[in-house]
Amino acid sequence: MYEYSLMVKTADVKLEALATATTDELTQNVAVALGGVIDEVSKSMKLFQGGDWEIISHQLTRLDRYLVASFLLRRPK
């Protein structure tokens, strides 16, 4: 039996820079933004609602100038 929760984090992406970016620059920009999100999620999961969570799914959405990453979490009850 599992308990489920959702964690949402955002990353600010400088769209004006991305509009003229090469493929490599775009990849690097997104990687840097998501790297920060992953680092933050990794640290947060240890304390989030008592900890002991694992990520079982994720979704990445662009909302205006932000990348919104949502993570479906579970832990044993």
Side-chain angles (χ1 to χ4, degrees):
M1 183 78 67
Y2 291 99
E3 173 181 14
Y4 295 87
S5 191
L6 185 69
M7 181 181 285
V8 178
K9 300 290 181 180
T10 59
D12 192 359
V13 178
K14 295 168 181 51
L15 292 180
E16 56 279 353
L18 298 182
T20 59
T22 66
T23 303
D24 288 341
E25 291 168 337
L26 176 63
T27 301
Q28 184 176 353
N29 254 331
V30 172
V32 167
L34 291 179
V37 168
I38 291 168
D39 187 48
E40 190 177 335
V41 167
S42 175
K43 291 175 184 172
S44 296
M45 282 179 52
K46 295 174 186 171
L47 302 173
F48 183 69
Q49 298 177 353
D52 199 29
W53 295 100
E54 69 174 325
I55 296 172
I56 59 170
S57 180
H58 72 281
Q59 177 70 40
L60 186 63
T61 305
R62 182 177 149 215
L63 188 63
D64 193 25
R65 68 175 202 199
Y66 298 99
L67 289 177
V68 180
S70 54
F71 300 90
L72 179 60
L73 310 174
R74 78 174 182 187
R75 68 179 172 191
K77 275 192 170 184

